[in-house]
Amino acid sequence: MADTLDLSHFIRRTDAGDATMDFAIDGADCAACIDDIESSARDVPGVVSARLNVGSRRLSVAWRDEACDAQSVLESLAARGFRAHPFELHRLEAEDVRQTRWLLRCLGVAGFAMMNVMLLSLAVWFGAVSDIGPETRDFFHWLSALLVMPAAAYAGQPFFRSALAALRARKLNMDVPISLGVILAIGMSLYETLNHAEHAYFDSAIMLLVFLLAGRALDQMMRVRMRTAAANMAALKGDLAHRLGPGGEIVTIPVAALRAGDCVMVRPGDRVPGDALVLSGASCVDESAITGETLPREIGPGAKAWAGSLSGQGALTLRVTAAGESSLIDDVRRLVEQASEVKSRYRRLADRASAIYAPLVHLTALCTLAFWLLAGAGAHFAIVTAIAVLIVTCPCALALAVPAVQVVATGGLFRAGVYLNASDAIERFAEIDHVVFDKTGTLTLPAPRVANAHEIPADLLALAARLALSSRHPLAVAIARAGGADTPFADASETAGAGVSALVGGVEARLGGAAFCAMADEAPRGADVSLMRLRVGGRTATFEIRQALRADACQVIADLRARNIGVSILSGDRPDAVAPVAQALGVSDWRGGVKPDEKIAFINQLSRAGRRVLMVGDGLNDAPALAGAHASMSPIDAVDMARAGADAMFLGDRLAPIVLALDLSRKARALMRQNLWLAVVYNAVAVPLAVAGFVTPLIAALAMSGSSILVTLNALRARSSARAAPKSAARERPVAATFRKAGA
Amino acid sequence: MNVLVYLVPLALLLGGVWLGMFLWSMRAGQYDDLEGAAWRILSDEDIRK
């Protein structure tokens, strides 16, 4: 195609005046790929630098303006077999990355102070039992104070800010006891140092900050990783649109750059880039991604076409009415918004724990103060003991308990090809006891398959496949794939809306509808079957094309049942098309012809009956149900709206990642609970000691670090089950990459 | 205890050097791609040039 490709939307300028652009890369799965990708970009004349970030699967390329353009970089990458997609860094993602760096900087500063203070504290602790003089002890305490005060003022900011914000909103969060504990510990230690006292808690205060910052940084890094994966997926899916200029010239632009009012051309086999009105041309569109309906719909001038529908054999000229993210049916959007409001009421495990924990800690400290004052122990002792309670109960282990498990579990899911959208998704997946599947594109593969390939003589199948290569009709694509053809006939010609014909060895071969092949029209063989005919001289064949079940659909349903999880099928497709699928899978609870609002109603009904529902779907009609269910998943090729509503996405042609995600989540939540209990047990031991006034700085340090390490080690156990998981489709691509390298 | 006069500053200095290196490596983007480094160790791209 000789279209010009306009990618200026994505280009950024560096200070040196070079153009830089980021690409999301598909297929970077081996060490050799890094070299391959970077050098294929660097080999383009004019390119200054190319650097692949393996963690985020993104390639950043800089070039000099006059010598090079984005298109030649894309072409060079495509020539080596890598799909690259122009990519725009989202504002939120940039903010998250900045936040991560800030947390790491705080962690670095706190870590530096902790190492040095520990050095001094150890001397004091062991000096207490040997021969340290009061002057040396005071000197060490002063040194610690000088190190800890500025370090804590800097590194404590993430907690102080969040605590202030919570107090302003008249709420208590986990950061309030943390901030209070750190500030009081430092304040009291300073007072004690001024009075040449024996104990100072500078080390405890800074150690607290280090552990808590580590937990915070882990949490943040996981969030960045999830956002990166989601953004890459949006870019990788990012289709191109052919925009008609005022002079009739065609410019290819990314769909993200499309505006309402633009005129676009949709060729046979392309997806409609935005909601649009048909200006000219006629075609039949496959709207299975939007409504679940498997039979194509005929459209002509004046008709409306939805974003994401697949155009059949005719070329269309459309005027876009809604572009980009706004392209969806209003009803569906309204339903999605209502449904998401309901779901946002879910409260995370950590939030629930901290809501009980923070008031309890403050109350205990106050009671301690009151008790010792009433017991006549003196104001100094009472205050020191109350502060020791606050220090000891500072929720180190509690703050690490959940994020540490989440990071490990998310990593495990990531490797298995499941990408999380919501950070509390793991907790919700763990509670699932009923799964509702959509049919089209979820239980079945997104593209139709030839169902009776084994009944057709091999030579006819091969011939039909080569003929089919000359057409972009969805049914022809299915035949071409079934026959594994790769060379079309040179003289093949397509009659729009009818079929393809070519001369093969002096005999005319025709592939298409019954009339085109001069064959008798026969009764439909099933509700979800489309027929294609082939005639070569006197020989004929009939191809049955239908939606094929995903290879492991039966196995997955059986696995879910074995885990005592209920299964239902809800489809927007006609009931007589759903019935055979439900029967093949042995699912008795199914409904067909269900509208989006009915899907939500069905799920709400299940929820009211006390079931926790996981919705798995890919179409626009599933989007409200995905947003409304307790948890939801989408295959990676789902429509944007469905992916935005889903809590997680899975890669590949198999459904196994769903079972895996449920298993891993259950294990992860068990570990989170264990960790929270560990934290409770630690407090049950440490608090009475602190209340009784026995906690010296040495004991506080041992208790805090001990419990934090225990909790982190326990979290690492989630790795073992993540490792045991079979590597799914996410890892199938490298095989192709290896072949390509061997051939090169 | 005169040894403290130079041991304490030395400890602080070493810690400070470590902190400086950490901040520098972060600003230089060494923490941006945690997986890439493990894969690049097998690459001989830098030797060819």
Side-chain angles (χ1 to χ4, degrees), chain A residues 29-30 34-35 38 42 51-55 101 104-105 108-109 112 116 119 143 225, chain B residues 8 11-12 15-16 18-19 22-23 26 29 32-36 39-40 43 45 48-49:
Chain A
D29 290 299
C30 57
I34 302 180
D35 262 5
E38 286 184 352
R42 221 175 276 136
R51 178 89 182 171
L52 179 76
N53 184 328
V54 183
R101 289 196 165 196
L104 279 179
R105 229 168 21 237
V109 170
F112 157 76
N116 282 290
L119 217 62
L143 259 180
R225 194 170 186 178
Chain B
V8 167
L12 287 179
W18 173 84
L19 182 64
F22 175 75
L23 292 179
M26 202 166 62
D32 289 353
D33 182 10
L34 295 175
E35 285 170 46
W39 291 16
R40 276 175 209 277
S43 152
E45 179 84 352
R48 247 180 271 149
K49 287 196 174 161

mmCIF file of all heavy atoms in Angstrom, chain A residues 29-30 34-35 38 42 51-55 101 104-105 108-109 112 116 119 143 225, chain B residues 8 11-12 15-16 18-19 22-23 26 29 32-36 39-40 43 45 48-49:
data_model
loop_
_atom_site.group_PDB
_atom_site.id
_atom_site.type_symbol
_atom_site.label_atom_id
_atom_site.label_comp_id
_atom_site.label_asym_id
_atom_site.label_seq_id
_atom_site.Cartn_x
_atom_site.Cartn_y
_atom_site.Cartn_z
ATOM 1 N N ASP A 29 11.284 -11.767 23.799
ATOM 2 C CA ASP A 29 11.200 -12.782 24.839
ATOM 3 C C ASP A 29 12.498 -13.546 25.045
ATOM 4 O O ASP A 29 12.531 -14.521 25.773
ATOM 5 C CB ASP A 29 10.086 -13.781 24.497
ATOM 6 C CG ASP A 29 8.725 -13.140 24.630
ATOM 7 O OD1 ASP A 29 8.402 -12.722 25.733
ATOM 8 O OD2 ASP A 29 8.024 -13.042 23.615
ATOM 9 N N CYS A 30 13.578 -13.172 24.345
ATOM 10 C CA CYS A 30 14.824 -13.890 24.552
ATOM 11 C C CYS A 30 15.968 -12.888 24.543
ATOM 12 O O CYS A 30 15.805 -11.765 24.083
ATOM 13 C CB CYS A 30 15.028 -14.920 23.440
ATOM 14 S SG CYS A 30 15.008 -14.180 21.804
ATOM 15 N N ILE A 34 16.946 -8.838 22.202
ATOM 16 C CA ILE A 34 17.321 -7.473 22.580
ATOM 17 C C ILE A 34 18.260 -6.907 21.523
ATOM 18 O O ILE A 34 18.045 -5.827 20.987
ATOM 19 C CB ILE A 34 18.023 -7.456 23.950
ATOM 20 C CG1 ILE A 34 17.118 -8.056 24.995
ATOM 21 C CG2 ILE A 34 18.412 -6.048 24.327
ATOM 22 C CD1 ILE A 34 17.740 -8.058 26.356
ATOM 23 N N ASP A 35 19.308 -7.681 21.226
ATOM 24 C CA ASP A 35 20.281 -7.281 20.211
ATOM 25 C C ASP A 35 19.601 -7.028 18.882
ATOM 26 O O ASP A 35 19.822 -6.034 18.217
ATOM 27 C CB ASP A 35 21.278 -8.414 19.999
ATOM 28 C CG ASP A 35 22.528 -8.157 20.788
ATOM 29 O OD1 ASP A 35 22.523 -7.158 21.538
ATOM 30 O OD2 ASP A 35 23.485 -8.934 20.647
ATOM 31 N N GLU A 38 17.325 -3.879 18.934
ATOM 32 C CA GLU A 38 18.064 -2.620 19.011
ATOM 33 C C GLU A 38 18.862 -2.376 17.739
ATOM 34 O O GLU A 38 18.896 -1.262 17.226
ATOM 35 C CB GLU A 38 18.981 -2.614 20.231
ATOM 36 C CG GLU A 38 18.190 -2.438 21.512
ATOM 37 C CD GLU A 38 19.066 -2.339 22.729
ATOM 38 O OE1 GLU A 38 20.293 -2.556 22.602
ATOM 39 O OE2 GLU A 38 18.529 -2.040 23.810
ATOM 40 N N ARG A 42 18.793 0.575 15.063
ATOM 41 C CA ARG A 42 19.995 1.396 14.963
ATOM 42 C C ARG A 42 20.555 1.400 13.527
ATOM 43 O O ARG A 42 21.243 2.327 13.133
ATOM 44 C CB ARG A 42 21.061 0.865 15.931
ATOM 45 C CG ARG A 42 21.807 1.959 16.645
ATOM 46 C CD ARG A 42 22.751 1.376 17.659
ATOM 47 N NE ARG A 42 22.128 1.072 18.932
ATOM 48 C CZ ARG A 42 22.326 -0.047 19.615
ATOM 49 N NH1 ARG A 42 23.108 -1.000 19.133
ATOM 50 N NH2 ARG A 42 21.744 -0.226 20.774
ATOM 51 N N ARG A 51 17.155 2.041 22.520
ATOM 52 C CA ARG A 51 17.356 1.315 23.772
ATOM 53 C C ARG A 51 16.058 0.605 24.138
ATOM 54 O O ARG A 51 15.003 1.220 24.211
ATOM 55 C CB ARG A 51 17.748 2.298 24.873
ATOM 56 C CG ARG A 51 17.931 1.670 26.228
ATOM 57 C CD ARG A 51 19.340 1.201 26.428
ATOM 58 N NE ARG A 51 19.487 0.544 27.722
ATOM 59 C CZ ARG A 51 20.577 -0.118 28.094
ATOM 60 N NH1 ARG A 51 21.609 -0.205 27.270
ATOM 61 N NH2 ARG A 51 20.652 -0.689 29.261
ATOM 62 N N LEU A 52 16.170 -0.714 24.360
ATOM 63 C CA LEU A 52 14.982 -1.489 24.724
ATOM 64 C C LEU A 52 14.930 -1.637 26.235
ATOM 65 O O LEU A 52 15.907 -2.022 26.860
ATOM 66 C CB LEU A 52 15.042 -2.870 24.070
ATOM 67 C CG LEU A 52 13.865 -3.794 24.397
ATOM 68 C CD1 LEU A 52 12.640 -3.387 23.622
ATOM 69 C CD2 LEU A 52 14.215 -5.235 24.099
ATOM 70 N N ASN A 53 13.793 -1.319 26.811
ATOM 71 C CA ASN A 53 13.564 -1.581 28.224
ATOM 72 C C ASN A 53 12.836 -2.915 28.318
ATOM 73 O O ASN A 53 11.671 -3.024 27.954
ATOM 74 C CB ASN A 53 12.730 -0.452 28.832
ATOM 75 C CG ASN A 53 12.536 -0.631 30.311
ATOM 76 O OD1 ASN A 53 12.473 -1.735 30.811
ATOM 77 N ND2 ASN A 53 12.445 0.480 31.010
ATOM 78 N N VAL A 54 13.555 -3.948 28.783
ATOM 79 C CA VAL A 54 12.985 -5.293 28.755
ATOM 80 C C VAL A 54 11.841 -5.423 29.756
ATOM 81 O O VAL A 54 10.842 -6.081 29.505
ATOM 82 C CB VAL A 54 14.068 -6.349 29.043
ATOM 83 C CG1 VAL A 54 13.483 -7.738 28.940
ATOM 84 C CG2 VAL A 54 15.206 -6.196 28.071
ATOM 85 N N GLY A 55 11.995 -4.744 30.904
ATOM 86 C CA GLY A 55 10.957 -4.837 31.932
ATOM 87 C C GLY A 55 9.621 -4.346 31.429
ATOM 88 O O GLY A 55 8.587 -4.951 31.686
ATOM 89 N N ARG A 101 10.457 6.740 41.973
ATOM 90 C CA ARG A 101 11.812 7.260 42.157
ATOM 91 C C ARG A 101 11.926 8.002 43.469
ATOM 92 O O ARG A 101 12.939 7.908 44.169
ATOM 93 C CB ARG A 101 12.170 8.188 41.007
ATOM 94 C CG ARG A 101 12.388 7.443 39.733
ATOM 95 C CD ARG A 101 13.097 8.317 38.752
ATOM 96 N NE ARG A 101 13.616 7.496 37.688
ATOM 97 C CZ ARG A 101 14.537 7.912 36.842
ATOM 98 N NH1 ARG A 101 15.027 9.127 36.951
ATOM 99 N NH2 ARG A 101 14.979 7.133 35.900
ATOM 100 N N LEU A 104 12.151 5.548 46.276
ATOM 101 C CA LEU A 104 13.464 4.902 46.311
ATOM 102 C C LEU A 104 14.509 5.849 46.893
ATOM 103 O O LEU A 104 15.399 5.431 47.626
ATOM 104 C CB LEU A 104 13.882 4.460 44.906
ATOM 105 C CG LEU A 104 13.286 3.147 44.422
ATOM 106 C CD1 LEU A 104 13.764 2.832 43.020
ATOM 107 C CD2 LEU A 104 13.658 2.005 45.355
ATOM 108 N N ARG A 105 14.394 7.140 46.546
ATOM 109 C CA ARG A 105 15.337 8.119 47.071
ATOM 110 C C ARG A 105 15.188 8.215 48.590
ATOM 111 O O ARG A 105 16.171 8.214 49.327
ATOM 112 C CB ARG A 105 15.077 9.478 46.420
ATOM 113 C CG ARG A 105 16.338 10.104 45.907
ATOM 114 C CD ARG A 105 16.154 11.288 45.008
ATOM 115 N NE ARG A 105 14.914 11.996 45.062
ATOM 116 C CZ ARG A 105 14.118 12.200 44.026
ATOM 117 N NH1 ARG A 105 14.449 11.705 42.867
ATOM 118 N NH2 ARG A 105 13.016 12.897 44.135
ATOM 119 N N GLY A 108 16.747 5.227 50.111
ATOM 120 C CA GLY A 108 18.199 5.336 50.111
ATOM 121 C C GLY A 108 18.698 6.179 51.272
ATOM 122 O O GLY A 108 19.627 5.793 51.995
ATOM 123 N N VAL A 109 18.077 7.331 51.479
ATOM 124 C CA VAL A 109 18.492 8.240 52.546
ATOM 125 C C VAL A 109 18.274 7.579 53.913
ATOM 126 O O VAL A 109 19.157 7.579 54.778
ATOM 127 C CB VAL A 109 17.713 9.575 52.456
ATOM 128 C CG1 VAL A 109 17.952 10.417 53.685
ATOM 129 C CG2 VAL A 109 18.122 10.326 51.201
ATOM 130 N N PHE A 112 20.841 4.821 54.466
ATOM 131 C CA PHE A 112 22.151 5.380 54.829
ATOM 132 C C PHE A 112 22.188 5.730 56.312
ATOM 133 O O PHE A 112 23.113 5.351 57.040
ATOM 134 C CB PHE A 112 22.413 6.629 53.975
ATOM 135 C CG PHE A 112 23.396 7.591 54.561
ATOM 136 C CD1 PHE A 112 24.758 7.312 54.527
ATOM 137 C CD2 PHE A 112 22.973 8.761 55.162
ATOM 138 C CE1 PHE A 112 25.671 8.194 55.073
ATOM 139 C CE2 PHE A 112 23.872 9.644 55.703
ATOM 140 C CZ PHE A 112 25.224 9.362 55.666
ATOM 141 N N ASN A 116 24.454 3.723 59.595
ATOM 142 C CA ASN A 116 25.391 4.413 60.467
ATOM 143 C C ASN A 116 24.926 4.441 61.917
ATOM 144 O O ASN A 116 25.724 4.292 62.840
ATOM 145 C CB ASN A 116 25.625 5.835 59.953
ATOM 146 C CG ASN A 116 26.571 5.838 58.778
ATOM 147 O OD1 ASN A 116 27.746 5.576 58.928
ATOM 148 N ND2 ASN A 116 26.039 6.078 57.588
ATOM 149 N N LEU A 119 25.486 1.167 63.648
ATOM 150 C CA LEU A 119 26.900 1.056 64.024
ATOM 151 C C LEU A 119 27.112 1.646 65.417
ATOM 152 O O LEU A 119 27.735 1.044 66.290
ATOM 153 C CB LEU A 119 27.710 1.857 63.001
ATOM 154 C CG LEU A 119 29.062 1.326 62.570
ATOM 155 C CD1 LEU A 119 28.877 -0.015 61.910
ATOM 156 C CD2 LEU A 119 29.693 2.318 61.604
ATOM 157 N N LEU A 143 25.550 11.961 67.992
ATOM 158 C CA LEU A 143 25.841 11.660 66.576
ATOM 159 C C LEU A 143 24.599 11.059 65.906
ATOM 160 O O LEU A 143 24.217 11.452 64.793
ATOM 161 C CB LEU A 143 26.983 10.656 66.488
ATOM 162 C CG LEU A 143 28.361 11.203 66.151
ATOM 163 C CD1 LEU A 143 29.354 10.053 66.123
ATOM 164 C CD2 LEU A 143 28.357 11.914 64.813
ATOM 165 N N ARG A 225 4.090 -1.466 37.271
ATOM 166 C CA ARG A 225 4.178 -2.599 36.367
ATOM 167 C C ARG A 225 2.822 -2.901 35.737
ATOM 168 O O ARG A 225 2.709 -3.191 34.552
ATOM 169 C CB ARG A 225 4.663 -3.805 37.152
ATOM 170 C CG ARG A 225 5.100 -4.919 36.270
ATOM 171 C CD ARG A 225 5.785 -5.965 37.079
ATOM 172 N NE ARG A 225 6.315 -6.964 36.161
ATOM 173 C CZ ARG A 225 7.014 -8.002 36.550
ATOM 174 N NH1 ARG A 225 7.281 -8.168 37.808
ATOM 175 N NH2 ARG A 225 7.448 -8.860 35.667
ATOM 176 N N VAL B 8 34.921 7.459 63.241
ATOM 177 C CA VAL B 8 33.539 7.902 63.035
ATOM 178 C C VAL B 8 33.394 8.692 61.731
ATOM 179 O O VAL B 8 32.528 8.374 60.911
ATOM 180 C CB VAL B 8 33.035 8.705 64.254
ATOM 181 C CG1 VAL B 8 31.750 9.435 63.913
ATOM 182 C CG2 VAL B 8 32.813 7.782 65.435
ATOM 183 N N ALA B 11 33.506 6.238 58.841
ATOM 184 C CA ALA B 11 32.273 5.470 58.650
ATOM 185 C C ALA B 11 31.225 6.319 57.939
ATOM 186 O O ALA B 11 30.559 5.861 57.005
ATOM 187 C CB ALA B 11 31.736 4.996 59.997
ATOM 188 N N LEU B 12 31.124 7.575 58.388
ATOM 189 C CA LEU B 12 30.138 8.467 57.768
ATOM 190 C C LEU B 12 30.481 8.717 56.311
ATOM 191 O O LEU B 12 29.608 8.740 55.446
ATOM 192 C CB LEU B 12 30.082 9.797 58.523
ATOM 193 C CG LEU B 12 29.392 9.729 59.887
ATOM 194 C CD1 LEU B 12 29.427 11.095 60.556
ATOM 195 C CD2 LEU B 12 27.959 9.254 59.731
ATOM 196 N N GLY B 15 29.568 5.689 54.220
ATOM 197 C CA GLY B 15 28.114 5.669 54.054
ATOM 198 C C GLY B 15 27.675 6.726 53.058
ATOM 199 O O GLY B 15 26.826 6.474 52.203
ATOM 200 N N GLY B 16 28.280 7.900 53.156
ATOM 201 C CA GLY B 16 27.932 8.992 52.244
ATOM 202 C C GLY B 16 28.267 8.646 50.805
ATOM 203 O O GLY B 16 27.484 8.921 49.893
ATOM 204 N N TRP B 18 28.354 5.667 49.542
ATOM 205 C CA TRP B 18 27.347 4.699 49.105
ATOM 206 C C TRP B 18 26.044 5.418 48.703
ATOM 207 O O TRP B 18 25.481 5.137 47.654
ATOM 208 C CB TRP B 18 27.049 3.707 50.231
ATOM 209 C CG TRP B 18 25.913 2.804 49.889
ATOM 210 C CD1 TRP B 18 25.967 1.661 49.167
ATOM 211 C CD2 TRP B 18 24.531 3.018 50.209
ATOM 212 N NE1 TRP B 18 24.713 1.128 49.024
ATOM 213 C CE2 TRP B 18 23.811 1.939 49.644
ATOM 214 C CE3 TRP B 18 23.836 4.012 50.904
ATOM 215 C CZ2 TRP B 18 22.428 1.834 49.767
ATOM 216 C CZ3 TRP B 18 22.464 3.901 51.019
ATOM 217 C CH2 TRP B 18 21.762 2.816 50.466
ATOM 218 N N LEU B 19 25.622 6.354 49.535
ATOM 219 C CA LEU B 19 24.379 7.086 49.253
ATOM 220 C C LEU B 19 24.497 7.849 47.941
ATOM 221 O O LEU B 19 23.588 7.826 47.113
ATOM 222 C CB LEU B 19 24.064 8.045 50.403
ATOM 223 C CG LEU B 19 22.763 8.833 50.261
ATOM 224 C CD1 LEU B 19 21.565 7.911 50.260
ATOM 225 C CD2 LEU B 19 22.632 9.862 51.379
ATOM 226 N N PHE B 22 24.242 5.490 45.056
ATOM 227 C CA PHE B 22 22.858 5.029 44.887
ATOM 228 C C PHE B 22 22.021 6.082 44.156
ATOM 229 O O PHE B 22 21.338 5.791 43.183
ATOM 230 C CB PHE B 22 22.252 4.713 46.258
ATOM 231 C CG PHE B 22 20.793 4.350 46.193
ATOM 232 C CD1 PHE B 22 20.394 3.108 45.723
ATOM 233 C CD2 PHE B 22 19.822 5.252 46.605
ATOM 234 C CE1 PHE B 22 19.058 2.773 45.665
ATOM 235 C CE2 PHE B 22 18.480 4.915 46.545
ATOM 236 C CZ PHE B 22 18.100 3.679 46.072
ATOM 237 N N LEU B 23 22.145 7.340 44.640
ATOM 238 C CA LEU B 23 21.343 8.408 44.023
ATOM 239 C C LEU B 23 21.757 8.620 42.577
ATOM 240 O O LEU B 23 20.929 8.817 41.693
ATOM 241 C CB LEU B 23 21.499 9.704 44.825
ATOM 242 C CG LEU B 23 20.878 9.667 46.225
ATOM 243 C CD1 LEU B 23 21.118 10.983 46.939
ATOM 244 C CD2 LEU B 23 19.388 9.367 46.159
ATOM 245 N N MET B 26 20.450 5.868 40.354
ATOM 246 C CA MET B 26 19.020 5.974 40.113
ATOM 247 C C MET B 26 18.737 7.065 39.088
ATOM 248 O O MET B 26 17.924 6.892 38.191
ATOM 249 C CB MET B 26 18.288 6.265 41.411
ATOM 250 C CG MET B 26 16.859 5.859 41.326
ATOM 251 S SD MET B 26 16.100 5.822 42.916
ATOM 252 C CE MET B 26 16.245 7.499 43.374
ATOM 253 N N GLY B 29 19.191 6.152 35.566
ATOM 254 C CA GLY B 29 18.215 5.234 34.971
ATOM 255 C C GLY B 29 18.555 3.773 35.131
ATOM 256 O O GLY B 29 18.018 2.925 34.425
ATOM 257 N N ASP B 32 15.544 1.633 36.044
ATOM 258 C CA ASP B 32 14.359 1.687 35.192
ATOM 259 C C ASP B 32 14.025 0.333 34.589
ATOM 260 O O ASP B 32 12.889 0.011 34.352
ATOM 261 C CB ASP B 32 14.567 2.704 34.055
ATOM 262 C CG ASP B 32 14.562 4.116 34.594
ATOM 263 O OD1 ASP B 32 14.266 4.265 35.793
ATOM 264 O OD2 ASP B 32 14.862 5.050 33.841
ATOM 265 N N ASP B 33 15.054 -0.449 34.297
ATOM 266 C CA ASP B 33 14.827 -1.725 33.644
ATOM 267 C C ASP B 33 15.539 -2.805 34.442
ATOM 268 O O ASP B 33 16.713 -3.059 34.244
ATOM 269 C CB ASP B 33 15.356 -1.668 32.205
ATOM 270 C CG ASP B 33 15.097 -2.960 31.462
ATOM 271 O OD1 ASP B 33 14.356 -3.801 32.003
ATOM 272 O OD2 ASP B 33 15.639 -3.127 30.360
ATOM 273 N N LEU B 34 14.810 -3.441 35.351
ATOM 274 C CA LEU B 34 15.452 -4.397 36.253
ATOM 275 C C LEU B 34 15.674 -5.748 35.585
ATOM 276 O O LEU B 34 16.508 -6.523 36.001
ATOM 277 C CB LEU B 34 14.603 -4.570 37.519
ATOM 278 C CG LEU B 34 14.495 -3.304 38.361
ATOM 279 C CD1 LEU B 34 13.552 -3.519 39.523
ATOM 280 C CD2 LEU B 34 15.858 -2.884 38.878
ATOM 281 N N GLU B 35 14.920 -6.051 34.528
ATOM 282 C CA GLU B 35 15.066 -7.356 33.887
ATOM 283 C C GLU B 35 16.114 -7.333 32.780
ATOM 284 O O GLU B 35 16.778 -8.319 32.525
ATOM 285 C CB GLU B 35 13.733 -7.806 33.268
ATOM 286 C CG GLU B 35 12.730 -8.274 34.279
ATOM 287 C CD GLU B 35 11.365 -8.476 33.637
ATOM 288 O OE1 GLU B 35 11.301 -9.079 32.558
ATOM 289 O OE2 GLU B 35 10.369 -8.002 34.216
ATOM 290 N N GLY B 36 16.232 -6.178 32.133
ATOM 291 C CA GLY B 36 17.091 -6.083 30.957
ATOM 292 C C GLY B 36 18.537 -6.443 31.244
ATOM 293 O O GLY B 36 19.166 -7.158 30.479
ATOM 294 N N TRP B 39 19.555 -9.996 31.005
ATOM 295 C CA TRP B 39 19.586 -10.554 29.644
ATOM 296 C C TRP B 39 20.766 -10.005 28.851
ATOM 297 O O TRP B 39 21.321 -10.677 28.012
ATOM 298 C CB TRP B 39 18.276 -10.214 28.921
ATOM 299 C CG TRP B 39 17.100 -10.940 29.473
ATOM 300 C CD1 TRP B 39 17.038 -11.584 30.675
ATOM 301 C CD2 TRP B 39 15.828 -11.101 28.869
ATOM 302 N NE1 TRP B 39 15.811 -12.122 30.845
ATOM 303 C CE2 TRP B 39 15.037 -11.849 29.771
ATOM 304 C CE3 TRP B 39 15.273 -10.682 27.661
ATOM 305 C CZ2 TRP B 39 13.729 -12.192 29.489
ATOM 306 C CZ3 TRP B 39 13.959 -11.025 27.390
ATOM 307 C CH2 TRP B 39 13.199 -11.773 28.286
ATOM 308 N N ARG B 40 21.105 -8.747 29.136
ATOM 309 C CA ARG B 40 22.140 -8.110 28.340
ATOM 310 C C ARG B 40 23.522 -8.672 28.635
ATOM 311 O O ARG B 40 24.455 -8.466 27.884
ATOM 312 C CB ARG B 40 22.165 -6.609 28.618
ATOM 313 C CG ARG B 40 21.161 -5.863 27.795
ATOM 314 C CD ARG B 40 21.150 -4.415 28.200
ATOM 315 N NE ARG B 40 19.834 -3.844 27.983
ATOM 316 C CZ ARG B 40 19.426 -3.395 26.805
ATOM 317 N NH1 ARG B 40 20.224 -3.448 25.772
ATOM 318 N NH2 ARG B 40 18.220 -2.910 26.679
ATOM 319 N N SER B 43 24.971 -10.458 25.907
ATOM 320 C CA SER B 43 25.122 -9.764 24.632
ATOM 321 C C SER B 43 26.562 -9.317 24.420
ATOM 322 O O SER B 43 27.227 -8.858 25.356
ATOM 323 C CB SER B 43 24.196 -8.552 24.625
ATOM 324 O OG SER B 43 24.719 -7.549 23.808
ATOM 325 N N GLU B 45 27.278 -7.098 22.023
ATOM 326 C CA GLU B 45 27.095 -5.901 21.208
ATOM 327 C C GLU B 45 28.234 -4.899 21.404
ATOM 328 O O GLU B 45 28.758 -4.328 20.464
ATOM 329 C CB GLU B 45 25.758 -5.253 21.605
ATOM 330 C CG GLU B 45 25.424 -3.990 20.873
ATOM 331 C CD GLU B 45 24.781 -4.275 19.530
ATOM 332 O OE1 GLU B 45 24.734 -5.450 19.112
ATOM 333 O OE2 GLU B 45 24.354 -3.322 18.894
ATOM 334 N N ARG B 48 31.728 -5.844 19.644
ATOM 335 C CA ARG B 48 31.812 -5.744 18.196
ATOM 336 C C ARG B 48 32.249 -4.359 17.751
ATOM 337 O O ARG B 48 32.813 -4.197 16.684
ATOM 338 C CB ARG B 48 30.451 -6.098 17.577
ATOM 339 C CG ARG B 48 30.473 -7.387 16.775
ATOM 340 C CD ARG B 48 29.108 -7.677 16.206
ATOM 341 N NE ARG B 48 28.303 -8.456 17.142
ATOM 342 C CZ ARG B 48 26.984 -8.363 17.212
ATOM 343 N NH1 ARG B 48 26.333 -7.511 16.439
ATOM 344 N NH2 ARG B 48 26.304 -9.101 18.054
ATOM 345 N N LYS B 49 31.934 -3.345 18.554
ATOM 346 C CA LYS B 49 32.196 -1.978 18.090
ATOM 347 C C LYS B 49 33.597 -1.505 18.439
ATOM 348 O O LYS B 49 34.159 -1.976 19.399
ATOM 349 C CB LYS B 49 31.165 -1.045 18.692
ATOM 350 C CG LYS B 49 29.849 -1.309 17.987
ATOM 351 C CD LYS B 49 28.844 -0.234 18.204
ATOM 352 C CE LYS B 49 27.632 -0.548 17.310
ATOM 353 N NZ LYS B 49 26.467 0.126 17.739
#
